[in-house]
Amino acid sequence: MNINFNEAELAFRDEVRSFLSSELPQDIAAKVKGGKHLSKEDHQRWQQILSRKGWYATHWPVEYGGVEWSAVQKHIFDEETAAFGAPRTIPFGVNMVAPVIIKFGTEEQKQHYLPRILSGEDWWCQGYSEPGAGSDLASLKTRAVRQGDHYIVNGQKTWTTLGQHANWIFCLVRTDTQAKPQSGISFLLIDMQTPGITVRPIITLDGEHEVNEVFFEDVKVPVENLVGEENKGWTYAKYLLTYERTGLAGIGASKAALDRLKEIAGKEVKNGKPLLQDPAFASRVAQVEIDLMAAEITNLRIIAAVEGGGVPGAESSMLKVKGTEIRQTITDLMRRAIGPYAQPFPEAEMELDYEGEYLSSDYAAPLAPHYFNMRKLSIFGGSNEIQKNIVAKMILEL
């Protein structure tokens, strides 16, 4: 198993670096690196740049506008974009619903939805979780009843990330209440402008409006918006989740965050010396760096296995657990580095164009919100407890 890049892969890395150096807007990179607020327009601007280059849908088939990069190329791209401060790709359209449409949708659905995702005309959100149906997703209760050429949808979704920006939502709905829980679910594409849909914000611990509740009251959805077969939605949901979990470990993002942690700890002072020279703090930074190096090697081993024709198994679950713990630890150390100045996190200091006096420093305000925001990593994409159960069954045979 070779985990070193070959000449062609090193040449691709140089091409990515050259592209990022010339095309990534500096104001957006400054926001990402500084942990400042990113707007919907920032994300859309970067998406347009990637689309013009043909690098937005990296795993789609070429005939639909993708580039079909190898696993190694995608790894290199993720690492370099994180290092340069590019925004993360909002996954719900290009990385989640699109693969489902490509594999299970009709040709009409492919021709209609895929170009709109590439162009940015549509912003998608995910309608999976409900109150009482998160990790136990098959318990979902949102109902869709067939009436002629439409389904009538009633129910509620929650933790709908960036749903306030979306004009489309892909939903799991129950279409058969008599079947086994996993057998009575269907996969619907729903226009968010349809009468009967209400979006309510959920303000999280970091003070941000990132997630929402979405309510459906007698919402009429055309039958042609069903993906695949009725009552087969659980199969499509599992297929989609494999894409959601891809990249959750965030190795590239963690490496960029670790560099930022060292930069901050080099500026903060304890007993007259940089905090990074404090033996206790330096030991914690060293431990997370060691964990990150080990996770990166594991990630490369999985990628090499995929390149060799293998299929990721329980290793992906191990990487998800460890990778998310590393990301949480780094944000925790950042918060600790500035001590009590992390507590107030003045909202205005989160803007790149803030011109007032900083409470302590220009990098302090985002640290506590990021710490709180990263707590979510333990539960989304399949909670870490579920991943540990997978490891226990597949490797330990318990």
Short mmCIF file of all heavy atoms in Angstrom, two decimals, residues 85-150:
data_model
loop_
_atom_site.label_atom_id
_atom_site.label_comp_id
_atom_site.label_asym_id
_atom_site.label_seq_id
_atom_site.Cartn_x
_atom_site.Cartn_y
_atom_site.Cartn_z
N GLY A 85 -7.61 28.75 2.81
CA GLY A 85 -8.71 29.52 3.39
C GLY A 85 -9.93 29.62 2.50
O GLY A 85 -10.69 30.60 2.59
N ALA A 86 -10.15 28.62 1.65
CA ALA A 86 -11.37 28.61 0.82
C ALA A 86 -12.56 28.16 1.68
O ALA A 86 -12.40 27.34 2.59
CB ALA A 86 -11.20 27.66 -0.36
N PRO A 87 -13.77 28.66 1.40
CA PRO A 87 -14.94 28.20 2.16
C PRO A 87 -15.21 26.72 1.89
O PRO A 87 -14.91 26.21 0.80
CB PRO A 87 -16.10 29.05 1.60
CG PRO A 87 -15.46 30.17 0.87
CD PRO A 87 -14.12 29.68 0.40
N ARG A 88 -15.76 26.05 2.88
CA ARG A 88 -16.15 24.67 2.66
C ARG A 88 -17.30 24.63 1.66
O ARG A 88 -18.10 25.57 1.58
CB ARG A 88 -16.60 24.00 3.97
CG ARG A 88 -17.94 24.50 4.51
CD ARG A 88 -18.28 23.83 5.82
NE ARG A 88 -19.56 24.31 6.36
CZ ARG A 88 -20.71 23.68 6.19
NH1 ARG A 88 -20.74 22.56 5.50
NH2 ARG A 88 -21.83 24.15 6.71
N THR A 89 -17.36 23.56 0.89
CA THR A 89 -18.48 23.41 -0.04
C THR A 89 -19.75 23.09 0.73
O THR A 89 -19.76 22.17 1.55
CB THR A 89 -18.18 22.28 -1.04
OG1 THR A 89 -17.03 22.64 -1.81
CG2 THR A 89 -19.36 22.03 -1.96
N ILE A 90 -20.82 23.86 0.49
CA ILE A 90 -22.10 23.53 1.09
C ILE A 90 -22.58 22.24 0.41
O ILE A 90 -22.82 22.22 -0.80
CB ILE A 90 -23.13 24.66 0.90
CG1 ILE A 90 -22.56 25.98 1.47
CG2 ILE A 90 -24.45 24.30 1.54
CD1 ILE A 90 -22.28 25.95 2.96
N PRO A 91 -22.74 21.15 1.16
CA PRO A 91 -22.83 19.83 0.51
C PRO A 91 -24.22 19.41 0.03
O PRO A 91 -24.33 18.48 -0.76
CB PRO A 91 -22.39 18.90 1.66
CG PRO A 91 -22.86 19.58 2.91
CD PRO A 91 -22.69 21.05 2.63
N PHE A 92 -25.28 20.09 0.50
CA PHE A 92 -26.62 19.51 0.35
C PHE A 92 -27.05 19.30 -1.11
O PHE A 92 -27.73 18.33 -1.42
CB PHE A 92 -27.65 20.37 1.10
CG PHE A 92 -27.25 20.58 2.53
CD1 PHE A 92 -26.78 21.82 2.96
CD2 PHE A 92 -27.28 19.53 3.43
CE1 PHE A 92 -26.38 22.00 4.26
CE2 PHE A 92 -26.87 19.71 4.74
CZ PHE A 92 -26.42 20.95 5.16
N GLY A 93 -26.64 20.22 -2.00
CA GLY A 93 -26.98 20.05 -3.39
C GLY A 93 -25.98 19.17 -4.12
O GLY A 93 -26.28 18.06 -4.55
N VAL A 94 -24.74 19.67 -4.21
CA VAL A 94 -23.75 19.03 -5.07
C VAL A 94 -23.27 17.68 -4.53
O VAL A 94 -23.01 16.76 -5.31
CB VAL A 94 -22.56 19.99 -5.30
CG1 VAL A 94 -21.79 20.24 -4.00
CG2 VAL A 94 -21.62 19.46 -6.37
N ASN A 95 -23.15 17.55 -3.22
CA ASN A 95 -22.57 16.32 -2.66
C ASN A 95 -23.58 15.35 -2.06
O ASN A 95 -23.21 14.24 -1.69
CB ASN A 95 -21.55 16.67 -1.57
CG ASN A 95 -20.31 17.33 -2.14
OD1 ASN A 95 -20.03 17.21 -3.33
ND2 ASN A 95 -19.58 18.04 -1.30
N MET A 96 -24.84 15.76 -1.92
CA MET A 96 -25.81 14.88 -1.26
C MET A 96 -26.97 14.50 -2.17
O MET A 96 -27.15 13.34 -2.52
CB MET A 96 -26.25 15.52 0.07
CG MET A 96 -25.07 15.66 1.05
SD MET A 96 -25.43 16.56 2.57
CE MET A 96 -26.43 15.36 3.42
N VAL A 97 -27.82 15.49 -2.52
CA VAL A 97 -28.99 15.09 -3.32
C VAL A 97 -28.58 14.75 -4.76
O VAL A 97 -29.18 13.87 -5.39
CB VAL A 97 -30.07 16.20 -3.29
CG1 VAL A 97 -29.67 17.42 -4.12
CG2 VAL A 97 -31.40 15.64 -3.81
N ALA A 98 -27.57 15.42 -5.29
CA ALA A 98 -27.17 15.16 -6.68
C ALA A 98 -26.76 13.70 -6.91
O ALA A 98 -27.21 13.09 -7.89
CB ALA A 98 -26.06 16.12 -7.11
N PRO A 99 -25.90 13.11 -6.05
CA PRO A 99 -25.56 11.70 -6.28
C PRO A 99 -26.79 10.77 -6.26
O PRO A 99 -26.82 9.78 -6.99
CB PRO A 99 -24.61 11.38 -5.12
CG PRO A 99 -23.99 12.68 -4.76
CD PRO A 99 -25.09 13.69 -4.97
N VAL A 100 -27.79 11.12 -5.44
CA VAL A 100 -29.01 10.30 -5.39
C VAL A 100 -29.79 10.44 -6.69
O VAL A 100 -30.28 9.46 -7.25
CB VAL A 100 -29.88 10.72 -4.18
CG1 VAL A 100 -31.23 9.99 -4.22
CG2 VAL A 100 -29.16 10.41 -2.88
N ILE A 101 -29.90 11.69 -7.18
CA ILE A 101 -30.61 11.91 -8.45
C ILE A 101 -29.88 11.20 -9.59
O ILE A 101 -30.50 10.57 -10.45
CB ILE A 101 -30.73 13.42 -8.73
CG1 ILE A 101 -31.68 14.07 -7.71
CG2 ILE A 101 -31.23 13.67 -10.15
CD1 ILE A 101 -31.74 15.59 -7.79
N ILE A 102 -28.54 11.30 -9.60
CA ILE A 102 -27.76 10.66 -10.67
C ILE A 102 -27.96 9.15 -10.67
O ILE A 102 -28.11 8.53 -11.72
CB ILE A 102 -26.27 11.02 -10.52
CG1 ILE A 102 -26.05 12.50 -10.85
CG2 ILE A 102 -25.40 10.14 -11.42
CD1 ILE A 102 -24.67 13.01 -10.51
N LYS A 103 -28.00 8.54 -9.49
CA LYS A 103 -28.09 7.07 -9.42
C LYS A 103 -29.53 6.56 -9.52
O LYS A 103 -29.78 5.52 -10.14
CB LYS A 103 -27.44 6.57 -8.14
CG LYS A 103 -27.37 5.03 -8.08
CD LYS A 103 -26.42 4.56 -7.03
CE LYS A 103 -26.32 3.02 -6.99
NZ LYS A 103 -25.68 2.49 -8.21
N PHE A 104 -30.47 7.28 -8.91
CA PHE A 104 -31.83 6.72 -8.82
C PHE A 104 -32.89 7.56 -9.54
O PHE A 104 -34.03 7.12 -9.68
CB PHE A 104 -32.23 6.58 -7.34
CG PHE A 104 -31.31 5.72 -6.54
CD1 PHE A 104 -30.41 6.28 -5.64
CD2 PHE A 104 -31.33 4.33 -6.68
CE1 PHE A 104 -29.56 5.48 -4.88
CE2 PHE A 104 -30.48 3.53 -5.93
CZ PHE A 104 -29.58 4.11 -5.03
N GLY A 105 -32.55 8.80 -9.95
CA GLY A 105 -33.55 9.69 -10.52
C GLY A 105 -33.86 9.36 -11.98
O GLY A 105 -33.15 8.59 -12.64
N THR A 106 -34.95 9.96 -12.47
CA THR A 106 -35.30 9.81 -13.88
C THR A 106 -34.39 10.71 -14.73
O THR A 106 -33.76 11.64 -14.22
CB THR A 106 -36.76 10.22 -14.13
OG1 THR A 106 -36.90 11.62 -13.82
CG2 THR A 106 -37.70 9.42 -13.25
N GLU A 107 -34.36 10.47 -16.02
CA GLU A 107 -33.55 11.31 -16.91
C GLU A 107 -34.07 12.75 -16.87
O GLU A 107 -33.29 13.70 -16.94
CB GLU A 107 -33.57 10.76 -18.33
CG GLU A 107 -32.53 11.39 -19.24
CD GLU A 107 -31.11 11.26 -18.71
OE1 GLU A 107 -30.77 10.23 -18.10
OE2 GLU A 107 -30.33 12.22 -18.88
N GLU A 108 -35.41 12.89 -16.78
CA GLU A 108 -35.98 14.24 -16.69
C GLU A 108 -35.49 14.96 -15.43
O GLU A 108 -35.19 16.16 -15.46
CB GLU A 108 -37.52 14.17 -16.69
CG GLU A 108 -38.15 13.77 -18.01
CD GLU A 108 -37.98 12.28 -18.30
OE1 GLU A 108 -37.67 11.52 -17.36
OE2 GLU A 108 -38.15 11.89 -19.47
N GLN A 109 -35.44 14.24 -14.31
CA GLN A 109 -34.95 14.85 -13.07
C GLN A 109 -33.48 15.25 -13.21
O GLN A 109 -33.07 16.32 -12.76
CB GLN A 109 -35.14 13.88 -11.89
CG GLN A 109 -36.60 13.70 -11.48
CD GLN A 109 -36.79 12.60 -10.45
OE1 GLN A 109 -35.98 11.68 -10.35
NE2 GLN A 109 -37.88 12.68 -9.69
N LYS A 110 -32.68 14.39 -13.84
CA LYS A 110 -31.26 14.73 -14.02
C LYS A 110 -31.10 15.98 -14.87
O LYS A 110 -30.31 16.87 -14.55
CB LYS A 110 -30.53 13.54 -14.66
CG LYS A 110 -30.50 12.29 -13.80
CD LYS A 110 -29.96 11.08 -14.58
CE LYS A 110 -30.11 9.81 -13.77
NZ LYS A 110 -29.71 8.61 -14.53
N GLN A 111 -31.84 16.03 -15.97
CA GLN A 111 -31.71 17.17 -16.89
C GLN A 111 -32.22 18.46 -16.27
O GLN A 111 -31.76 19.55 -16.62
CB GLN A 111 -32.46 16.88 -18.19
CG GLN A 111 -31.89 15.73 -19.00
CD GLN A 111 -30.43 15.94 -19.38
OE1 GLN A 111 -29.99 17.07 -19.61
NE2 GLN A 111 -29.66 14.85 -19.42
N HIS A 112 -33.18 18.35 -15.34
CA HIS A 112 -33.75 19.56 -14.74
C HIS A 112 -32.91 20.06 -13.55
O HIS A 112 -32.57 21.24 -13.49
CB HIS A 112 -35.18 19.29 -14.26
CG HIS A 112 -35.82 20.46 -13.56
ND1 HIS A 112 -36.26 21.57 -14.24
CD2 HIS A 112 -36.06 20.70 -12.23
CE1 HIS A 112 -36.76 22.45 -13.38
NE2 HIS A 112 -36.65 21.94 -12.15
N TYR A 113 -32.58 19.14 -12.62
CA TYR A 113 -31.99 19.60 -11.36
C TYR A 113 -30.47 19.76 -11.41
O TYR A 113 -29.92 20.69 -10.79
CB TYR A 113 -32.35 18.61 -10.23
CG TYR A 113 -33.82 18.61 -9.89
CD1 TYR A 113 -34.62 17.52 -10.21
CD2 TYR A 113 -34.41 19.70 -9.26
CE1 TYR A 113 -35.98 17.50 -9.91
CE2 TYR A 113 -35.77 19.71 -8.95
CZ TYR A 113 -36.55 18.60 -9.28
OH TYR A 113 -37.89 18.60 -8.98
N LEU A 114 -29.76 18.88 -12.10
CA LEU A 114 -28.29 18.92 -12.04
C LEU A 114 -27.70 20.22 -12.58
O LEU A 114 -26.81 20.81 -11.94
CB LEU A 114 -27.71 17.69 -12.75
CG LEU A 114 -28.11 16.35 -12.13
CD1 LEU A 114 -27.46 15.18 -12.90
CD2 LEU A 114 -27.70 16.28 -10.65
N PRO A 115 -28.16 20.73 -13.75
CA PRO A 115 -27.60 22.00 -14.23
C PRO A 115 -27.87 23.15 -13.27
O PRO A 115 -27.04 24.07 -13.12
CB PRO A 115 -28.32 22.22 -15.57
CG PRO A 115 -28.75 20.86 -16.00
CD PRO A 115 -29.09 20.14 -14.73
N ARG A 116 -29.03 23.12 -12.59
CA ARG A 116 -29.37 24.20 -11.65
C ARG A 116 -28.49 24.14 -10.40
O ARG A 116 -28.21 25.17 -9.79
CB ARG A 116 -30.85 24.10 -11.27
CG ARG A 116 -31.80 24.33 -12.46
CD ARG A 116 -33.22 23.85 -12.16
NE ARG A 116 -33.83 24.61 -11.09
CZ ARG A 116 -34.64 25.65 -11.26
NH1 ARG A 116 -34.91 26.05 -12.49
NH2 ARG A 116 -35.17 26.28 -10.24
N ILE A 117 -28.07 22.93 -10.01
CA ILE A 117 -27.13 22.81 -8.88
C ILE A 117 -25.77 23.36 -9.29
O ILE A 117 -25.12 24.11 -8.55
CB ILE A 117 -27.02 21.34 -8.42
CG1 ILE A 117 -28.34 20.90 -7.78
CG2 ILE A 117 -25.86 21.16 -7.45
CD1 ILE A 117 -28.41 19.42 -7.44
N LEU A 118 -25.32 22.99 -10.49
CA LEU A 118 -24.02 23.47 -10.97
C LEU A 118 -23.98 24.99 -11.09
O LEU A 118 -22.97 25.62 -10.75
CB LEU A 118 -23.72 22.85 -12.35
CG LEU A 118 -23.11 21.44 -12.38
CD1 LEU A 118 -22.86 21.02 -13.82
CD2 LEU A 118 -21.82 21.38 -11.58
N SER A 119 -25.07 25.57 -11.57
CA SER A 119 -25.09 27.02 -11.80
C SER A 119 -25.30 27.80 -10.51
O SER A 119 -25.07 29.01 -10.48
CB SER A 119 -26.21 27.37 -12.79
OG SER A 119 -27.48 27.15 -12.19
N GLY A 120 -25.75 27.12 -9.47
CA GLY A 120 -26.06 27.82 -8.23
C GLY A 120 -27.46 28.39 -8.20
O GLY A 120 -27.84 29.10 -7.26
N GLU A 121 -28.25 28.08 -9.22
CA GLU A 121 -29.63 28.60 -9.27
C GLU A 121 -30.45 28.06 -8.11
O GLU A 121 -31.33 28.75 -7.58
CB GLU A 121 -30.27 28.21 -10.60
CG GLU A 121 -31.65 28.80 -10.82
CD GLU A 121 -32.17 28.51 -12.22
OE1 GLU A 121 -31.38 27.96 -13.04
OE2 GLU A 121 -33.34 28.82 -12.50
N ASP A 122 -30.17 26.81 -7.71
CA ASP A 122 -30.91 26.21 -6.59
C ASP A 122 -29.99 26.02 -5.39
O ASP A 122 -28.84 25.60 -5.53
CB ASP A 122 -31.48 24.85 -6.99
CG ASP A 122 -32.63 24.96 -7.97
OD1 ASP A 122 -33.25 26.05 -8.03
OD2 ASP A 122 -32.89 23.99 -8.69
N TRP A 123 -30.50 26.33 -4.21
CA TRP A 123 -29.80 26.10 -2.95
C TRP A 123 -30.64 25.06 -2.19
O TRP A 123 -31.79 25.30 -1.87
CB TRP A 123 -29.69 27.40 -2.15
CG TRP A 123 -28.93 27.26 -0.86
CD1 TRP A 123 -29.24 26.48 0.19
CD2 TRP A 123 -27.72 27.94 -0.48
NE1 TRP A 123 -28.32 26.62 1.20
CE2 TRP A 123 -27.37 27.51 0.81
CE3 TRP A 123 -26.90 28.89 -1.11
CZ2 TRP A 123 -26.25 27.99 1.50
CZ3 TRP A 123 -25.80 29.36 -0.44
CH2 TRP A 123 -25.47 28.91 0.84
N TRP A 124 -30.06 23.88 -1.94
CA TRP A 124 -30.78 22.78 -1.33
C TRP A 124 -30.53 22.70 0.17
O TRP A 124 -29.47 23.11 0.67
CB TRP A 124 -30.35 21.46 -1.96
CG TRP A 124 -30.88 21.25 -3.35
CD1 TRP A 124 -30.36 21.73 -4.51
CD2 TRP A 124 -32.05 20.50 -3.71
NE1 TRP A 124 -31.12 21.33 -5.57
CE2 TRP A 124 -32.16 20.56 -5.11
CE3 TRP A 124 -33.00 19.77 -2.99
CZ2 TRP A 124 -33.19 19.94 -5.81
CZ3 TRP A 124 -34.02 19.15 -3.68
CH2 TRP A 124 -34.12 19.24 -5.07
N CYS A 125 -31.51 22.15 0.90
CA CYS A 125 -31.31 21.79 2.29
C CYS A 125 -31.84 20.37 2.49
O CYS A 125 -32.48 19.79 1.61
CB CYS A 125 -31.97 22.77 3.25
SG CYS A 125 -33.76 22.91 3.11
N GLN A 126 -31.53 19.81 3.66
CA GLN A 126 -31.80 18.39 3.92
C GLN A 126 -32.96 18.23 4.90
O GLN A 126 -32.93 18.81 5.99
CB GLN A 126 -30.55 17.73 4.50
CG GLN A 126 -30.70 16.24 4.78
CD GLN A 126 -29.44 15.66 5.42
OE1 GLN A 126 -28.72 16.37 6.12
NE2 GLN A 126 -29.17 14.40 5.17
N GLY A 127 -33.97 17.44 4.53
CA GLY A 127 -35.11 17.18 5.41
C GLY A 127 -35.09 15.76 5.91
O GLY A 127 -35.88 14.91 5.46
N TYR A 128 -34.20 15.45 6.80
CA TYR A 128 -34.09 14.11 7.37
C TYR A 128 -34.58 14.11 8.83
O TYR A 128 -35.58 13.51 9.15
CB TYR A 128 -32.64 13.61 7.32
CG TYR A 128 -32.26 12.85 6.07
CD1 TYR A 128 -32.92 13.06 4.87
CD2 TYR A 128 -31.22 11.93 6.09
CE1 TYR A 128 -32.55 12.37 3.73
CE2 TYR A 128 -30.85 11.23 4.95
CZ TYR A 128 -31.53 11.44 3.78
OH TYR A 128 -31.17 10.75 2.65
N SER A 129 -33.85 14.78 9.72
CA SER A 129 -34.12 14.69 11.16
C SER A 129 -35.48 15.30 11.52
O SER A 129 -35.93 16.26 10.90
CB SER A 129 -33.02 15.42 11.94
OG SER A 129 -31.77 14.77 11.78
N GLU A 130 -36.09 14.71 12.52
CA GLU A 130 -37.34 15.21 13.08
C GLU A 130 -37.23 15.15 14.60
O GLU A 130 -36.36 14.46 15.13
CB GLU A 130 -38.52 14.33 12.63
CG GLU A 130 -38.73 14.29 11.13
CD GLU A 130 -39.92 13.40 10.75
OE1 GLU A 130 -40.57 12.87 11.67
OE2 GLU A 130 -40.17 13.26 9.55
N PRO A 131 -38.13 15.85 15.31
CA PRO A 131 -38.17 15.67 16.76
C PRO A 131 -38.48 14.19 17.05
O PRO A 131 -39.52 13.69 16.63
CB PRO A 131 -39.32 16.58 17.20
CG PRO A 131 -39.41 17.62 16.13
CD PRO A 131 -39.06 16.89 14.85
N GLY A 132 -37.56 13.49 17.67
CA GLY A 132 -37.77 12.06 17.96
C GLY A 132 -37.24 11.14 16.89
O GLY A 132 -37.35 9.91 17.01
N ALA A 133 -36.65 11.69 15.82
CA ALA A 133 -36.10 10.85 14.75
C ALA A 133 -34.81 11.49 14.24
O ALA A 133 -34.83 12.25 13.27
CB ALA A 133 -37.11 10.69 13.61
N GLY A 134 -33.73 11.23 14.93
CA GLY A 134 -32.42 11.72 14.51
C GLY A 134 -31.52 10.54 14.21
O GLY A 134 -31.47 10.06 13.09
N SER A 135 -30.85 10.03 15.25
CA SER A 135 -30.05 8.82 15.06
C SER A 135 -30.94 7.65 14.68
O SER A 135 -30.56 6.78 13.89
CB SER A 135 -29.27 8.51 16.35
OG SER A 135 -28.33 9.53 16.61
N ASP A 136 -32.15 7.59 15.25
CA ASP A 136 -33.14 6.57 14.88
C ASP A 136 -34.01 7.11 13.76
O ASP A 136 -35.21 7.36 13.93
CB ASP A 136 -33.99 6.22 16.11
CG ASP A 136 -34.97 5.09 15.81
OD1 ASP A 136 -34.78 4.40 14.79
OD2 ASP A 136 -35.93 4.93 16.58
N LEU A 137 -33.40 7.29 12.60
CA LEU A 137 -34.06 8.00 11.51
C LEU A 137 -35.32 7.30 11.01
O LEU A 137 -36.26 7.94 10.55
CB LEU A 137 -33.06 8.19 10.36
CG LEU A 137 -33.46 9.14 9.23
CD1 LEU A 137 -33.79 10.53 9.76
CD2 LEU A 137 -32.34 9.20 8.19
N ALA A 138 -35.35 5.97 11.11
CA ALA A 138 -36.50 5.22 10.59
C ALA A 138 -37.77 5.50 11.38
O ALA A 138 -38.86 5.08 10.98
CB ALA A 138 -36.19 3.73 10.60
N SER A 139 -37.66 6.23 12.50
CA SER A 139 -38.85 6.57 13.29
C SER A 139 -39.56 7.82 12.78
O SER A 139 -40.52 8.29 13.41
CB SER A 139 -38.46 6.79 14.77
OG SER A 139 -37.93 5.60 15.33
N LEU A 140 -39.11 8.35 11.67
CA LEU A 140 -39.69 9.62 11.19
C LEU A 140 -41.20 9.50 10.95
O LEU A 140 -41.70 8.44 10.57
CB LEU A 140 -38.97 10.07 9.91
CG LEU A 140 -39.07 9.22 8.65
CD1 LEU A 140 -40.27 9.64 7.80
CD2 LEU A 140 -37.78 9.32 7.83
N LYS A 141 -41.90 10.62 11.17
CA LYS A 141 -43.36 10.60 11.13
C LYS A 141 -43.96 11.52 10.07
O LYS A 141 -45.19 11.50 9.88
CB LYS A 141 -43.91 10.99 12.51
CG LYS A 141 -43.49 10.03 13.62
CD LYS A 141 -44.16 10.39 14.94
CE LYS A 141 -43.68 9.46 16.07
NZ LYS A 141 -43.90 8.02 15.74
N THR A 142 -43.17 12.35 9.41
CA THR A 142 -43.73 13.22 8.37
C THR A 142 -44.42 12.36 7.31
O THR A 142 -43.81 11.46 6.73
CB THR A 142 -42.62 14.08 7.73
OG1 THR A 142 -42.10 14.96 8.72
CG2 THR A 142 -43.16 14.89 6.57
N ARG A 143 -45.70 12.66 7.05
CA ARG A 143 -46.52 11.81 6.18
C ARG A 143 -46.68 12.43 4.79
O ARG A 143 -46.79 13.65 4.65
CB ARG A 143 -47.92 11.64 6.77
CG ARG A 143 -47.96 10.79 8.02
CD ARG A 143 -48.00 9.29 7.67
NE ARG A 143 -49.33 8.89 7.22
CZ ARG A 143 -49.55 8.34 6.02
NH1 ARG A 143 -48.57 8.18 5.18
NH2 ARG A 143 -50.78 7.97 5.67
N ALA A 144 -46.70 11.58 3.79
CA ALA A 144 -47.03 11.99 2.42
C ALA A 144 -48.10 11.03 1.91
O ALA A 144 -47.87 9.83 1.81
CB ALA A 144 -45.79 11.94 1.54
N VAL A 145 -49.27 11.58 1.61
CA VAL A 145 -50.40 10.76 1.16
C VAL A 145 -50.68 11.06 -0.30
O VAL A 145 -50.85 12.23 -0.69
CB VAL A 145 -51.66 11.05 2.03
CG1 VAL A 145 -52.85 10.22 1.52
CG2 VAL A 145 -51.38 10.75 3.49
N ARG A 146 -50.70 10.03 -1.13
CA ARG A 146 -50.95 10.21 -2.57
C ARG A 146 -52.41 10.58 -2.81
O ARG A 146 -53.33 9.89 -2.37
CB ARG A 146 -50.61 8.90 -3.30
CG ARG A 146 -50.89 8.92 -4.80
CD ARG A 146 -49.74 9.51 -5.59
NE ARG A 146 -50.00 9.47 -7.02
CZ ARG A 146 -49.47 8.58 -7.85
NH1 ARG A 146 -48.66 7.65 -7.38
NH2 ARG A 146 -49.73 8.62 -9.16
N GLN A 147 -52.61 11.70 -3.51
CA GLN A 147 -53.94 12.12 -3.95
C GLN A 147 -53.84 12.51 -5.42
O GLN A 147 -53.43 13.63 -5.74
CB GLN A 147 -54.46 13.29 -3.10
CG GLN A 147 -54.81 12.92 -1.66
CD GLN A 147 -55.46 14.05 -0.89
OE1 GLN A 147 -55.74 15.12 -1.46
NE2 GLN A 147 -55.72 13.84 0.39
N GLY A 148 -54.18 11.58 -6.31
CA GLY A 148 -54.09 11.86 -7.74
C GLY A 148 -52.65 12.05 -8.18
O GLY A 148 -51.81 11.19 -7.97
N ASP A 149 -52.37 13.24 -8.74
CA ASP A 149 -51.03 13.53 -9.27
C ASP A 149 -50.13 14.20 -8.25
O ASP A 149 -49.05 14.71 -8.60
CB ASP A 149 -51.15 14.44 -10.50
CG ASP A 149 -51.85 13.73 -11.65
OD1 ASP A 149 -51.81 12.49 -11.69
OD2 ASP A 149 -52.46 14.43 -12.49
N HIS A 150 -50.57 14.24 -6.98
CA HIS A 150 -49.78 14.91 -5.95
C HIS A 150 -49.68 14.05 -4.70
O HIS A 150 -50.47 13.14 -4.48
CB HIS A 150 -50.42 16.26 -5.56
CG HIS A 150 -50.32 17.30 -6.62
ND1 HIS A 150 -51.18 17.35 -7.70
CD2 HIS A 150 -49.44 18.34 -6.78
CE1 HIS A 150 -50.85 18.37 -8.47
NE2 HIS A 150 -49.80 18.99 -7.93
#
